[in-house]
Amino acid sequence: MKVGMALIIIVLVAALVGTLALLGKPDENYKSSAKQNTIRLTAIYVIVILGAIGGLAWYISMN
């Protein structure tokens, strides 16, 4: 169980780092809307992380 949780955390951190690394790419169309994209992606990450924590808590409470 601890290994699974560690893997999930590693994947989430890697996805976040990869997404933030895209902000530095020299694509002009992306830079013009970088702020909006960052806000949307951050919201998605928050929702997914909270859902994962809630699901994990539910799973633990059922066992």
Side-chain angles (χ1 to χ4, degrees), residues 23-35:
L23 293 176
K25 298 289 181 185
D27 182 11
E28 294 302 321
N29 292 332
Y30 190 81
K31 281 188 174 185
S32 65
S33 62
K35 185 175 182 178

Side-chain angles (χ1 to χ4, degrees), residues 20 23 30 33-43:
L20 293 177
L23 293 176
Y30 190 81
S33 62
K35 185 175 182 178
Q36 289 294 328
N37 289 338
T38 304
I39 292 170
R40 287 185 197 119
L41 288 171
T42 302

